Amino acid sequence: MTTLETAAKPEGLRRIAIDPVSRVEGHGKVTILLDDQRKVHQVRLHIVEFRGFERFIQGRPYWEVPVMVQRLCGICPVSHHLAAAKALDLVVGAKTLTPTADRVRRLMHYGQILQSHALHFFHLASPDLLFGFGSAPAKRNVVGVAAAQPELARQGVLLRKFGQEVIRVTAGKRVHGTGAVPGGVNKHVTRAERDELKAALSQVLEWARAGVQLISRLHLANRHLYDTFGTAKSNLLSLVGARGALELYDGTLRARDPDGKILFDGLDCQQYRSRIAEEVKSWSYMKFPYLSALGPEAGWYKVGPLARVQNCDVITTPLAEAERAAFRDAFDGAITHAPLAYHWARLIELLHAAELIARLLDDDALSEGPLTATGPRRAEGVGVIEAPRGTLIHHYKVAPDDLVTMCNLIVSTTHNNTAMNEVIREVARAELDGREPTEALLNHVEVAIRAFDPCLSCATHALGQMPLLVDLVDAQGLLVKQLRRDSP
Amino acid sequence: MTHGTFELDGREVPFSPGQTILQAALAASVYIPHLCYHPEFKPHGSCKVCTVKVNGRPMSSCTTPAQEGQQVESNTPEINEARRTLVQFLFVEGNHFCPSCEQSGRCTLQATGYALGMTNPQFNPLFPNRPVDASHPDILLDFNRCILCELCVRASGEVDGKSVFALSGRGITKHLIVNAESGKLGDTELSVGDKAVEVCPVGVILRKRKGFDEPIGRRRYDIAAIDEFAAAAPKGGTP
Ligand code: SF4
Ligand code: FES
């Protein structure tokens, strides 16, 4: 851990707060504490989301939980829905799901990955990447993309729509569906629904491929910036499937060190607590997980696309596997920790999700066969999936009267908590040290946060559209300077 | 056997002896919003959602006998506004979180709210603290959603012959109780097949472990709005 987290002598330092003033509840806030020489002394990302939800679930009947947890996060409800259902499968004794339940849930999950990744890249990230981080905010948004590259913007919208359709036919609704129930699913996907989705497949695959081409071109054309911007080395964590393959829905946990050496592998998700601990810090509501064997100082890690694509040994679909190989070659087989490489990895996953959807739509188990399984009741269950933003852990204990007595959630953005803090520090050090803070410089901090695609409501505003209030406050708490940007 | 007719919002509605205004209206496929009325039980007129104006005076249509030549107003902006207010009170007096409620799409309160054009809660929720009773092996009681319609009380007493439920207290402190020394459902004779379990119009008396087996989108009021049900089921009423 760098020394920038806590300044040695906080008194006599100036504070810059990047504070999204948003009507949406819950927002991130970055505090940068400067000294008299404008040197960065302290950087903290404050996150107030995800508070108190665990308590809310205690005392509720377990079958309500997969629906209830979707309210946890407006940004990836399907992921919470599935992670909770997976944990509760074990409680109702469904160690193995029926083929129908497995296929329907996977289809739902891949639909969510596809729509989420498409939204993030085409809507939120591409404006920065196409026009440059310092370009005029008025242009640097999805409307700007639509004007400059209408075809690209259109593809983004349609890719996302396709993912939403996949979710609708599996979950019942586009948002907040109820498709997964403890032990399985509550409906089939009809042949007619499958045929309709299949008709769009060739286009979807083509656009997904073009997306990877675009981001790799952008990355390679501006190699130095993409490779070095905010780069901070860390461990990596994700699920992997059989033979170490990229696996998004169900697998075992694997961790690597910053150089790619495997730290542990094949860890049964039920045992996550044997390897992952959570640290509480006084200044943040969000916990800081770490690999317990390495301790909080060295054990922090990254999750999400960049971790997954480098943690796995292979991707089981051919187009995405070819792109993974190209990615690896671009970094000479070494692990990259560049936050901006998240975008490239994310689009490889988008392509993978599209290929998996194509494969699944041919599977008749989607449309026929038993929906649920049961077995001997158990008191506890852990469900882990790879959500669009990274590893998501749901853990419940259920009493014999069917009420939940314990709930522990580690959401993707929490796993990335330290990593995001570290990356912001890197950026702040490189971009802000010794200079007067300007809007463009502060944008860089946001670009770094956005690379992780955190599920924070502030991060869902297009860049350049996010209302910002930047306060410079001295050690006595006096406002020295205020930068302000309102949403257009 | 038709006994006579009365006028409901300008339309002639026939009635037979002993029918109330609500019964005659529903038999003629005209929907009058209602919550505590159920065709299988004697009306007791507590929710007041079925209020109409009979010859200019507000009355509960579920308890007022139909009479020859009555002038009844029901579907007017003024009356619907009053009904909407009553329903909005019910929403804030309990804890009704439709998005995560397993009865969403088959709940009479929710469907009536929609039928009355209720779009927001309007009043500040009281957020009462009402822990669930999970002591019964097969049935869960979630008091958070009780609208005190007394249908379970009537069903358990009159049909099941068990008198498992009762209402206790007055006014804002009125609440549902379980007739057992422990106060716990697990210590009663209630069983899953009982009429009292089936009759709850909202999400209080629930069969355990079944909540979301019926997909959203295929539920009763997902398929047709509550007033369309009344129109399609002439004998009915909307339990
Ligand atoms: S439990 Fe249901 S049926 Fe009984 S009084 Fe409450 S709302 Fe009515
Ligand atoms: S008072 Fe008539 S239905 Fe409730």
Side-chain angles (χ1 to χ4, degrees), chain B residues 153-201:
Chain B
V153 179
R154 289 180 270 169
S156 188
E158 294 167 26
V159 181
D160 307 328
K162 295 183 182 174
S163 292
V164 169
F165 299 105
L167 294 191
S168 163
R170 306 188 138 264
I172 195 74
T173 67
K174 193 155 151 195
H175 62 285
L176 183 73
I177 57 163
V178 171
N179 283 323
E181 210 166 313
S182 62
K184 289 285 175 202
L185 197 65
D187 294 326
T188 69
E189 300 282 277
L190 190 70
S191 63
V192 211
D194 286 359
K195 189 75 185 171
V197 176
E198 170 201 312
V199 82
C200 179

Side-chain angles (χ1 to χ4, degrees), chain A residues 60 63-64 186 401-402, chain B residues 99 102 142 145 208-209 212:
Chain A
R60 296 304 308 172
W63 58 88
E64 205 177 68
N186 65 13
D401 70 1
D402 299 321
Chain B
E102 63 185 83
D142 190 337
R145 304 165 183 149
K208 278 186 166 183
R209 301 176 288 275
F212 290 96

Side-chain angles (χ1 to χ4, degrees), chain A residues 256-277:
Chain A
R256 288 186 194 267
D257 78 4
D259 299 320
K261 202 178 111 243
I262 288 186
L263 293 168
F264 61 78
D265 200 5
L267 177 68
D268 179 355
C269 292
Q270 303 309 304
Q271 309 302 324
Y272 76 101
R273 278 188 159 161
S274 69
R275 299 286 194 168
I276 297 168

Side-chain angles (χ1 to χ4, degrees), chain B residues 85-142:
Chain B
T85 304
L86 286 172
V87 170
Q88 276 162 332
F89 277 142
L90 290 172
F91 267 94
V92 298
E93 280 166 17
N95 296 310
H96 297 273
F97 306 122
C98 298
S100 58
C101 175
E102 63 185 83
Q103 291 304 93
S104 183
R106 53 191 180 204
C107 166
T108 311
L109 181 67
Q110 182 191 41
T112 307
Y114 278 131
L116 290 169
M118 177 187 151
T119 47
N120 61 343
Q122 179 86 33
F123 306 108
N124 287 334
L126 301 178
F127 294 125
N129 180 18
R130 301 187 193 157
V132 303
D133 177 348
S135 58
H136 193 287
D138 301 313
I139 301 156
L140 180 80
L141 269 191
D142 190 337

Side-chain angles (χ1 to χ4, degrees), chain B:
Chain B
M1 183 190 61
T2 306
H3 191 65
T5 61
F6 62 91
E7 210 181 291
L8 176 59
D9 293 333
R11 178 184 156 176
E12 290 285 298
V13 173
F15 65 93
S16 36
Q19 265 188 329
T20 61
I21 293 174
L22 179 61
Q23 283 165 336
L26 293 173
S29 304
V30 180
Y31 173 67
I32 298 178
H34 57 276
L35 287 174
C36 68
Y37 169 76
H38 186 290
E40 293 168 47
F41 297 97
K42 199 165 148 281
H44 77 149
S46 61
C47 74
K48 304 296 177 206
V49 169
C50 69
T51 298
V52 293
K53 274 190 180 170
V54 182
N55 301 328
R57 283 186 42 216
M59 315 276 271
S60 302
S61 63
C62 70
T63 51
T64 307
Q67 279 173 21
E68 181 65 35
Q70 279 165 328
Q71 295 289 321
V72 182
E73 291 168 69
S74 170
N75 194 9
T76 70
E78 181 203 348
I79 296 174
N80 283 329
E81 176 63 45
R83 291 172 178 153
R84 194 159 48 236
T85 304
L86 286 172
V87 170
Q88 276 162 332
F89 277 142
L90 290 172
F91 267 94
V92 298
E93 280 166 17
N95 296 310
H96 297 273
F97 306 122
C98 298
S100 58
C101 175
E102 63 185 83
Q103 291 304 93
S104 183
R106 53 191 180 204
C107 166
T108 311
L109 181 67
Q110 182 191 41
T112 307
Y114 278 131
L116 290 169
M118 177 187 151
T119 47
N120 61 343
Q122 179 86 33
F123 306 108
N124 287 334
L126 301 178
F127 294 125
N129 180 18
R130 301 187 193 157
V132 303
D133 177 348
S135 58
H136 193 287
D138 301 313
I139 301 156
L140 180 80
L141 269 191
D142 190 337
F143 296 103
N144 289 295
R145 304 165 183 149
C146 184
I147 58 169
L148 308 174
C149 70
E150 275 186 78
L151 282 170
C152 60
V153 179
R154 289 180 270 169
S156 188
E158 294 167 26
V159 181
D160 307 328
K162 295 183 182 174
S163 292
V164 169
F165 299 105
L167 294 191
S168 163
R170 306 188 138 264
I172 195 74
T173 67
K174 193 155 151 195
H175 62 285
L176 183 73
I177 57 163
V178 171
N179 283 323
E181 210 166 313
S182 62
K184 289 285 175 202
L185 197 65
D187 294 326
T188 69
E189 300 282 277
L190 190 70
S191 63
V192 211
D194 286 359
K195 189 75 185 171
V197 176
E198 170 201 312
V199 82
C200 179
V202 291
V204 182
I205 309 175
L206 302 162
R207 291 187 178 86
K208 278 186 166 183
R209 301 176 288 275
K210 296 263 170 268
F212 290 96
D213 289 3
E214 184 185 19
I216 294 281
R218 292 203 204 143
R219 296 176 169 205
R220 189 180 173 83
Y221 300 124
D222 293 334
I223 295 159
I226 194 166
D227 49 337
E228 293 164 352
F229 265 103
K235 287 271 172 294
T238 42

Side-chain angles (χ1 to χ4, degrees), chain A residues 86-108:
Chain A
K86 281 188 70 184
L88 295 164
D89 289 343
L90 297 165
V91 169
V92 303
K95 265 199 114 146
T96 311
L97 293 183
T98 65
T100 298
D102 176 73
R103 304 307 182 272
V104 172
R105 285 201 196 167
R106 282 181 183 272
L107 187 58
M108 190 191 304

